[in-house]
């Protein structure tokens, strides 16, 4: 169904429309709320290739090699053996097909088996019920709530903090 492989500089093109679609960026990182012009998006995308302590990977449809999003682990600390998981599926036609769960499982496996992390955490917007369910299916557990930590659609909502430990990871 999907294949994870490194992003290329040409992969920026679908981000131009994705990052200008309110539905797509609704629960994404705050930075995406401010990236509108092709120049801003290009600058952000180019910076992905220079990030240290981040594992970025493209999500491609296996049969067409079409990019549908990206995922990875940011803030990787070799001292603490930890990092923060993220996923962004920009192609709305691929939502609700279980791709988020598959990608999450693959990236977690990479984090524990290759990066030798002990803990991978994430935050997810409380209204993003599909995201919470996908993370729970992948083994994440709720640690707590950051109250009214996000402002979207003229309202505050909570962010849920979740994590998975290497000892909980099932290969």
């Amino acid at each position: 169904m999907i294949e994870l492989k490194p992003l290329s500089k040409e992969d920026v093109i679908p981000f131009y429309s994705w990052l200008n679609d309110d539905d797509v960026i609704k629960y994404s990182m705050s930075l995406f709320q401010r990236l509108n012009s092709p120049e801003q998006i290009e600058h952000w995308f180019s910076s992905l290739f220079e990030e240290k302590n981040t594992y970025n990977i493209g999500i491609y449809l296996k049969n067409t090699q079409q990019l549908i999003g990206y995922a990875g682990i940011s803030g990787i600390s070799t001292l603490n053996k930890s990092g923060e998981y993220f996923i962004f599926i920009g192609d709305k036609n691929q939502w609700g097909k279980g791709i988020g769960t598959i990608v999450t499982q693959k990236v977690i496996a990479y984090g524990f088996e290759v990066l030798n992390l002990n803990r991978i955490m994430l935050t997810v917007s409380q209204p993003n019920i599909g995201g919470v369910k996908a993370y729970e299916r992948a083994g994440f557990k709720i640690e707590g709530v950051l109250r009214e930590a996000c402002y979207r659609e003229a309202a505050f909502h909570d962010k849920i903090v979740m994590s998975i430990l290497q000892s909980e990871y099932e290969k």
Side-chain angles (χ1 to χ4, degrees):
M1 178 188 263
I2 57 111
E3 181 179 357
L4 300 181
K5 61 183 187 178
L7 292 164
S8 70
K9 301 239 182 202
E10 294 77 37
D11 287 329
V12 70
I13 294 166
F15 284 91
Y16 296 142
S17 60
W18 294 342
L19 297 185
N20 281 292
D21 184 325
D22 290 339
D23 288 338
V24 173
I25 63 170
K26 184 186 324 186
Y27 300 126
S28 295
M29 63 180 174
S30 297
L31 173 66
F32 285 177
Q33 310 299 317
R34 298 187 311 267
L35 296 177
N36 302 108
S37 73
E39 295 78 24
Q40 291 170 322
I41 294 168
E42 179 98 21
H43 178 74
W44 162 77
F45 192 78
S46 293
S47 73
L48 295 180
F49 298 94
E50 299 164 16
E51 288 181 354
K52 304 219 183 316
N53 303 324
T54 298
Y55 166 65
N56 287 307
I57 197 77
I59 307 166
Y60 298 83
L61 293 178
K62 196 174 247 180
N63 56 346
T64 64
Q65 293 303 299
Q66 174 191 345
L67 179 71
I68 62 166
Y70 86 117
I73 302 171
S74 65
I76 297 170
S77 169
T78 52
L79 176 66
N80 295 317
K81 296 189 177 290
S82 64
E84 183 171 354
Y85 174 73
F86 65 89
I87 185 170
F88 176 78
I89 299 177
D91 185 340
K92 292 193 285 191
N93 295 322
Q94 303 307 319
W95 291 1
K97 296 183 177 181
I99 292 172
T101 299
I102 295 166
V103 171
T104 301
Q105 291 167 340
K106 289 180 179 238
V107 173
I108 287 168
Y110 187 88
F112 291 139
E113 297 172 16
V114 177
L115 299 176
N116 195 31
L117 299 178
N118 179 61
R119 179 178 186 273
I120 301 172
M121 60 88 60
L122 62 83
T123 61
V124 58
S125 297
Q126 184 268 330
N128 186 356
I129 296 163
V132 174
K133 287 179 181 176
Y135 301 138
E136 288 177 329
R137 280 192 297 272
F140 280 88
K141 293 182 173 40
I142 295 175
E143 290 188 339
V145 175
L146 302 172
R147 298 179 311 144
E148 296 187 2
C150 190
Y151 187 76
R152 298 286 192 283
E153 300 179 320
F156 288 100
H157 65 257
D158 297 342
K159 298 280 278 189
I160 299 169
V161 179
M162 303 177 81
S163 72
I164 184 171
L165 303 177
Q166 189 173 45
S167 60
E168 300 166 336
Y169 165 66
E170 296 180 21
K171 294 180 184 177

